[in-house]
Amino acid sequence: MANAAVADSAQADALRHALVEELVTAGSIASLEVAAAFRTVPRHLFAPEVPLQEAYANDIVRTKRDEHGVTISSVSAPWLQAVMLEQAQIGPGMRCLEIGSGGYNAALMAELVGPDGEVTTVDIDADVTDRARRFLDTAGYGHVNVVLADAEHGVPQHAPFDRIIVTVGVFDVPPAWWTQLAEGGRIVVPLRVRGLSRSLALVRDGDHLVSVGHEMAGFVAVQGVGARAERLVTLHGEEVGLRFDDDQPVEAEGLREALRLPRVQAWSGVTFGGMEPFDGLFLWLATSLDRFCLLSRARTDAARGLVDPASPIATPTLLSRDGFAYVAFREVDPQTQTYEFGVYAHGVDAEGLAATLIEQIRLWDHEHRRGAAAKFTIYPASVPVARVPGVRVVPKRHTTVTISWP
Ligand SMILES: C[S@@+](CC[C@H](N)C(=O)[O-])C[C@H]1O[C@@H](n2cnc3c(N)ncnc32)[C@H](O)[C@@H]1O
């Protein structure tokens, strides 16, 4: 090896070990097995177009964009890969399917299954599979199967699978993934439910799948047969939008009119620390509110002047025919970086909407914030699902998803 190559390789090793330390400290890596896989696979060989530091940053490496500049393929962020591998609990000798290829994650999976297991990775995009094949071969993982196909149909030629890890954001769980899942198998899938994306770890329970855990996860959207865009209702040019993931009828003009009315605010007394994520509250509101959507705003001062939601991308919003209320927060103690959840509302019934949303924030804080996580179940659409109070039932194309809280 030339001197420069030796130096590069030593630097890559150092960066890789530092990344593993970071992932362990953050809790993204929890097991020795996943740590060993991350220590072994040279991530930079799967992202040769970026400098070593970027390849080993705890961030995604974008590898392909569409004509609008939207990322459609990437090497996912190491923390998310680690979290999903931990969710999958892959063991030696297992047969695994990865949906959405990049090469790197498939190599990590190959380390986890060892010489007696088998890993298949499938992608809808020939550029991606060509790339993954090349990089896997270079890095010494020529035994990983790389398949070009729409994963909606699974990969029957390599099924059954003990583990299926989906690394693309999906709206539903297609039937092929159930039928190609081995007895006792597990699916890890970033599923969009009422607009919120969560990586669910799912196991079979009789005629349905049940979550044994879930984590925050954002992914590029699935393409092909399974693609399903959200509906966007704009309220003020492109500045403010309401995102709908279901077919509820919406009186857009009434909501636009509501935004022109003065804003009502209400504060909950429920506080949180600066580093605390909102995912539990957001999921609770997606469960408990019937007329639910997500508010988003442009990252402009004009948009911020109109609405100030907790998250500019996706903030739980309660709707009426001609009004809406959304979650916000304000700083209550700069010293300790403590914030308080509140609500902003617009429309003739703004006061009532704000009060309902505040009540739900308090209920979450009181009953669920510190308790066990929500549970998801996924039934084939052909199985009737009883409507039980407190359980949110979300119809999809192939399945019915429920969210319930203990
Ligand atoms: C985030 S990337 C995958 C990252 C990869 N697992 C890694 O090693 O980090 C998501 C991939 O999903 C692919 N994809 C999107 N829709 C798909 C579909 N219907 N079937 C298979 N792959 C799909 C995209 O082409 C993209 O390459």
Side-chain angles (χ1 to χ4, degrees):
M1 227 190 288
N3 284 344
V6 173
D8 258 14
S9 149
Q11 196 192 357
D13 288 350
L15 289 167
R16 188 161 60 254
H17 291 296
L19 174 63
V20 174
E21 294 313 314
E22 182 183 336
L23 295 173
V24 169
T25 305
S28 313
I29 291 181
S31 66
L32 292 175
E33 293 79 5
V34 171
F38 270 86
R39 280 194 200 285
T40 306
V41 181
R43 184 172 163 98
H44 64 287
L45 296 185
F46 298 87
E49 51 283 273
V50 301
L52 281 179
Q53 276 83 356
E54 256 177 70
Y56 285 104
N58 195 3
D59 202 355
I60 70 169
V61 178
R62 288 173 181 79
T63 50
K64 189 167 180 179
R65 295 173 197 261
D66 70 7
E67 64 277 19
H68 310 294
V70 175
T71 302
I72 55 170
S73 192
S74 62
V75 181
S76 302
W79 69 266
L80 184 51
Q81 291 172 320
V83 163
M84 292 177 78
L85 290 172
E86 294 290 1
Q87 283 187 298
Q89 297 194 351
I90 297 172
M94 285 186 180
R95 303 170 61 83
C96 297
L97 173 64
E98 179 196 41
I99 292 176
S101 310
Y104 176 61
N105 195 50
L108 293 171
M109 291 165 74
E111 287 294 332
L112 290 167
V113 301
D116 298 329
E118 184 173 294
V119 174
T120 299
T121 181
V122 60
D123 203 286
I124 198 168
D125 186 328
D127 289 345
V128 176
T129 49
D130 285 353
R131 198 186 136 92
R133 177 73 285 158
R134 230 170 338 115
F135 296 161
L136 281 163
D137 288 348
T138 307
Y141 298 92
H143 52 295
V144 170
N145 305 312
V146 180
V147 176
L148 173 63
D150 186 334
E152 176 82 4
H153 314 294
V155 186
Q157 65 272 33
H158 294 294
F161 303 106
D162 300 300
R163 298 290 184 263
I164 299 177
I165 300 192
V166 184
T167 65
V168 62
V170 296
F171 170 75
D172 203 358
V173 177
W177 301 357
W178 297 61
T179 52
Q180 292 173 26
L181 189 66
E183 208 44 53
R186 180 179 279 227
I187 303 180
V188 175
V189 55
L191 187 69
R192 201 173 83 216
V193 186
R194 301 201 99 190
L196 300 178
S197 175
R198 294 286 180 277
S199 174
L200 308 180
L202 298 166
V203 296
R204 237 192 264 271
D205 182 9
D207 61 358
H208 61 277
L209 298 171
V210 61
S211 68
V212 288
H214 51 86
E215 302 285 346
M216 287 275 282
F219 268 98
V220 299
V222 75
Q223 305 165 44
V225 181
R228 188 190 195 272
E230 291 175 313
R231 227 168 2 130
L232 179 70
V233 171
T234 53
L235 297 189
H236 191 275
E238 300 290 299
E239 303 282 6
V240 181
L242 295 178
R243 294 166 45 187
F244 292 86
D245 207 11
D246 56 21
D247 302 322
Q248 63 178 289
V250 180
E251 281 282 340
E253 206 33 63
L255 298 173
R256 287 187 192 119
E257 185 52 43
L259 184 57
R260 287 182 211 117
L261 295 176
R263 171 159 101 182
V264 165
Q265 56 177 306
W267 297 97
S268 64
V270 177
T271 57
F272 64 98
M275 299 302 284
E276 238 178 280
F278 308 152
D279 58 319
L281 173 63
F282 282 19
L283 195 56
W284 167 251
L285 296 174
T287 313
S288 63
L289 299 175
D290 286 335
R291 299 216 60 207
F292 175 87
C293 68
L294 296 169
L295 183 136
S296 63
R297 69 156 174 82
R299 289 177 189 269
T300 62
D301 289 342
R304 193 174 297 112
L306 291 163
V307 289
D308 194 9
S311 153
I313 304 163
T315 291
T317 300
L318 169 66
L319 286 178
S320 67
R321 225 179 66 88
D322 44 19
F324 61 95
Y326 59 89
V327 180
F329 63 80
R330 65 178 176 187
E331 192 175 54
V332 288
D333 184 354
Q335 292 279 300
T336 55
Q337 290 205 330
T338 303
Y339 301 82
E340 179 185 10
F341 286 117
V343 171
Y344 290 130
H346 293 265
V348 282
D349 52 352
E351 302 272 359
L353 289 170
T356 305
L357 200 44
I358 287 287
E359 189 184 312
Q360 288 302 327
I361 293 171
R362 290 187 180 141
L363 196 63
W364 165 75
D365 181 52
H366 196 247
E367 311 255 309
H368 301 297
R369 186 176 189 175
R370 290 154 204 94
K375 191 173 86 177
F376 291 80
T377 62
I378 303 190
Y379 289 85
S382 55
V383 174
V385 175
R387 305 247 161 194
V388 178
V391 176
R392 173 62 47 188
V393 177
V394 185
K396 301 261 167 186
R397 253 184 217 148
H398 307 292
T399 65
T400 306
V401 175
T402 72
I403 319 172
S404 58
W405 293 69

